[in-house]
Amino acid sequence: MPHVVTQSCCSDASCVYACPVNCIQPTPDDPAFATAEMLYVDPSTCVDCGACVSACPVDAIKPHAKLAEHELPFVKINADYHATRRPRPPLAPAVPPLQIRARGERLRVAVVGSGPAAMYTADEILTIPGARVSMFERLRVPYGLARHGVAPDHQRTRRVSRQFDQIREQAGLSLFLGVEVGRDVSHEELLRRHHAVVYAVGASSDKRLEIPGIDLPGTASATEFVAWYNGRPDQASRRFDLSHRRAVVIGNGNVALDVARILTIDPESLAQTDIALRALAELRKSNVEEVVVVARRGPGDSKFTLPELVGLSTRPGIELTVSPDDLAADRRDDPRLDVLRKLPQPAGRGRRITLKYNLAPTCVVGDLRVEATRFEHTKNGPPETIEAGLLMTSIGYRGRPVAGLPFDKKTATVPNDRGRIDPGTYVAGWIKRGPTGFIGTNKACARETVDALVEDFNSGRLTAPRTRATARVAQRRRQTMAEAA
Ligand code: NAP
C-alpha cells in the first residue's frame, strides 16, 4: 500500500529529497511547484519505504492503511495528480551544496524577521562552514505566521515549529527577540556588522476593503481575528463581538476558511490546542450559528485549496452548504467543484458555513454598528443584502514598506532580482514575492535569495563587516599610514 500526502502538507519538499524513487511531485525544479496546492505521492511508483514520513516536518504523510476516515479522500487526490502527468526519472533532484570561495573571512548575515522565510534563510546560510546569522524579531515570540497565522486546530501544521527549534539551536545562530530594525537598530548598523542583511519581514498588514461603512464597529479584518485567537501580543486585548447569530466573511481564500471554521467549530475541540485562552473563553460564549463566506467570482475561481476544502467538508459538527444554482452555473472541470457538488443536504443540526458566489460588496449598513452588508451581483443577478452583526474582510495580506528600501505599492513587495535588492541587501518570503503559498514554499524562495547572496560574496561584492577585529585592523592601517606620512 503506498504512502499518501494529506491535508497538512507544508510543501517544503523535504520528502521529495528523502524519497529514493522520486515518487513525490512536483519537485522544486518543476514549474508546477510554484502553484501546487500540496505535494503528491505517485501510488504506482511508491515503494512504501517510509523515508518521506521521517523527513516530513508536519507529519502530513501516512501509509495508506493508517489513514483516518476523513483523510481517505487524499488517496484519490494523490493518485489523480500523477494520472495526468508524465512519470519522472527515478532520481530525486539534488540541491547542490552552497559553495563559498575561501577568502579568509567568515560569512556574517543579519536576518530580519523570524517567520518561515527567515528560518529557512538562516538554515541555508548555516550550511556554510563558519557562517553566522544574527536574527532580529520585533515580537517577543518567534516564527511569525507559523506561530501566529496557522489555525489552532491545524496542530500538525504547527509542528513545523519543531523544525524551526532545531534551526534556532544551531551554534551559528543568535536570535534577538523584541528588537525592531529601524527603531532599535538601523539598517546601516546591521550592514556595518554583517556582510549582508536579508529582510524576511512578511506581509504584516492586510488589504483594505474601500467601501462605505467599513469602519463601523463590528467590522474587522480576518488577519486581526487570526492573530487574536493565536495569542499574538499586539491583538491580546482586541474584542470581537460574537453575540450575533450570523457573521459574514468577504473573500474565500484559505484564511477565510480558517476564520469560518474557528467561528463554527465546537470550542471544546480547541481546548487541548494552544489557542489563546481568552479567545477560547469568548468562543465558548459565542452565539454565532452561521458564517457566510462571500466571493466576488464563481465556484471554480474559489481561492481556497482542495486540501482545505476537503478538510472542512469532512469536519464533524459543521454543515457546509453552497447554492445549487451557483454550482450549476459553473461547469468547469475542477476537483473542488466535485467536492462541493457532493456535499450532503444540510440537516440543520450543526453550525453552518454557507459559501456564496458572484457577489461583490458595495457598502456596510448600520447606524451605530454593522447590521448588514450589501452586495451587487457580478453576473447580472439581483443585489443582495446579508444581515450579520460581525463582518470580516479576508481579502489577502499586504506587505508594508521597509524604511530605506524601494517599495512597489501595487504588489506591496520590495522590487528584487532573485531576492537581491543590491549587493548586501536582500529579501525573502512574502515581502519578496507577495502573500501566496504555504509555509514550505518559503524554503525554495529562501534558497534562491541565499544563492544570490553567496554569488555576491564569492565575487567580492560584499563589504566585510566592521567587527571589533576589523575595526582594530582599520585603525592599525590608519596609524601605519599616518606614521609613513
Ligand atoms: P487569498 O488566497 O489571496 O484570497 C483572497 C480572497 O479575497 C480571494 O477570494 C479574493 O477574490 C478576495 N478579494 C480580494 N480583493 C477583494 C475585494 N476588493 N473584494 C472582494 N473580494 C476580494 O488570501 P488569503 O486567504 O489571505 O491567503 C494568503 C495565502 O496564505 C494563500 O496562499 C493561502 O493559501 C495561504 N494560507 C494557507 C493556509 C493553509 O494551507 N491551511 C491557511 C491560510 C493561508 P479574487 O480571487 O476574486 O481576487
Side-chain angles (χ1 to χ4, degrees):
M1 292 290 248
H3 279 66
V4 178
V5 184
T6 62
Q7 187 191 342
S8 57
C9 175
C10 72
S11 298
D12 85 335
S14 302
C15 55
V16 169
Y17 300 114
C19 175
V21 293
N22 198 20
C23 77
I24 305 178
Q25 287 172 25
T27 56
D29 60 332
D30 182 334
F33 184 81
T35 51
E37 295 184 342
M38 54 180 276
L39 305 179
Y40 310 85
V41 170
D42 181 353
S44 65
T45 53
C46 171
V47 291
D48 223 11
C49 67
C52 52
V53 177
S54 326
C56 175
V58 292
D59 299 342
I61 311 181
K62 287 187 171 182
H64 187 146
K66 291 208 172 149
L67 292 174
E69 195 173 335
H70 69 272
E71 293 169 325
L72 288 174
F74 286 91
V75 175
K76 185 168 177 322
I77 290 172
N78 279 245
D80 281 355
Y81 179 82
H82 290 275
T84 54
R85 291 176 66 87
R86 270 186 291 123
R88 305 253 304 175
L91 273 177
V95 184
L98 290 162
Q99 297 287 346
I100 281 283
R101 199 172 309 147
R103 297 221 319 248
E105 51 182 293
R106 293 179 170 187
L107 179 63
R108 283 168 177 265
V109 179
V111 175
V112 187
S114 70
M119 297 314 291
Y120 290 128
T121 299
D123 198 31
E124 290 290 349
I125 293 166
L126 293 173
T127 59
I128 299 165
R132 294 196 66 88
V133 171
S134 320
M135 185 177 278
F136 300 89
E137 165 59 56
R138 75 188 162 94
L139 297 179
R140 298 205 169 269
V141 192
Y143 307 157
L145 279 187
R147 173 67 191 82
H148 293 124
V150 178
D153 60 333
H154 282 172
Q155 287 292 308
R156 279 207 259 157
T157 308
R158 289 226 179 173
R159 286 183 203 160
V160 75
S161 55
R162 293 185 306 201
Q163 192 189 26
F164 295 162
D165 286 340
Q166 286 167 4
I167 296 172
R168 182 181 167 179
E169 279 157 19
Q170 293 185 62
L173 180 76
S174 308
L175 173 61
F176 302 95
L177 295 172
V179 178
E180 189 168 336
V181 174
R183 185 192 65 185
D184 305 313
V185 58
S186 69
H187 173 74
E188 291 68 30
E189 230 167 314
L190 290 183
L191 212 48
R192 257 199 308 277
R193 293 179 181 276
H194 303 84
H195 287 95
V197 184
V198 181
Y199 287 88
V201 292
S204 57
S205 177
D206 37 57
K207 285 192 199 147
R208 191 177 146 79
L209 188 64
E210 297 289 355
I211 56 171
I214 195 64
D215 291 322
L216 276 172
T219 60
S221 80
T223 56
E224 289 163 349
F225 187 64
V226 170
W228 172 73
Y229 63 60
N230 278 325
R232 208 177 70 190
D234 58 354
Q235 291 293 328
S237 56
R238 262 307 288 262
R239 294 195 76 84
F240 294 89
D241 186 352
L242 307 181
S243 64
H244 304 267
R245 289 183 53 210
R246 187 183 293 129
V248 162
V249 179
I250 294 177
N252 72 354
N254 282 341
V255 171
L257 289 202
D258 280 351
V259 163
R261 212 176 55 249
I262 294 297
L263 281 169
T264 47
I265 204 169
D266 176 3
E268 295 319 314
S269 69
L270 298 172
Q272 301 306 317
T273 71
D274 51 359
I275 186 171
L277 290 177
R278 189 176 179 153
L280 181 61
E282 293 297 314
L283 288 166
R284 278 179 165 142
K285 292 188 285 183
S286 165
N287 289 333
V288 174
E289 288 171 5
E290 183 187 23
V291 179
V292 185
V293 176
V294 190
R296 58 185 172 180
R297 298 191 285 157
D301 296 305
S302 295
K303 268 296 181 72
F304 53 70
T305 57
L306 177 62
E308 288 306 307
L309 176 63
V310 168
L312 179 60
S313 66
T314 54
R315 181 70 65 139
I318 300 178
E319 292 193 334
L320 182 62
T321 69
V322 57
S323 144
D325 292 345
D326 279 337
L327 284 177
D330 200 329
R331 301 192 165 277
R332 276 173 282 187
D333 181 22
D334 183 321
R336 295 171 305 172
L337 296 186
D338 295 339
V339 174
L340 293 176
R341 285 187 191 111
K342 287 181 191 149
L343 289 175
Q345 283 297 316
R349 265 186 248 118
R351 286 176 166 174
R352 188 178 345 147
I353 296 177
T354 304
L355 303 179
K356 285 202 168 258
Y357 288 98
N358 299 314
L359 293 175
T362 52
C363 72
V364 184
V365 186
D367 286 332
L368 297 175
R369 51 163 298 108
V370 52
E371 289 164 19
T373 310
R374 284 204 189 114
F375 296 86
E376 66 184 7
H377 202 277
T378 54
K379 292 265 171 72
N380 299 325
E384 237 181 86
T385 300
I386 304 177
E387 286 180 15
L390 177 63
L391 169 68
M392 287 206 232
T393 55
S394 182
I395 62 172
Y397 288 84
R398 185 175 163 83
R400 282 206 170 113
V402 178
L405 302 192
F407 190 67
D408 179 339
K409 280 193 185 151
K410 200 163 166 226
T411 58
T413 57
V414 173
N416 67 90
D417 173 22
R418 291 174 298 130
R420 181 192 293 112
I421 302 166
D422 54 49
T425 310
Y426 306 84
V427 276
W430 279 5
I431 195 66
K432 168 184 171 187
R433 61 172 210 278
T436 58
F438 313 97
I439 291 175
T441 316
N442 293 295
K443 189 168 174 156
C445 175
R447 172 62 196 240
E448 184 188 60
T449 295
V450 175
D451 278 342
L453 188 158
V454 166
E455 203 178 292
D456 290 344
F457 179 76
N458 284 342
S459 57
R461 285 196 285 258
L462 303 186
T463 310
R466 300 249 306 176
T467 56
R468 281 195 197 104
T470 56
R472 269 199 304 274
V473 171
Q475 195 187 355
R476 229 176 289 139
R477 204 177 291 154
R478 274 198 302 275
Q479 267 172 7
T480 320
M481 281 162 67
E483 281 163 18

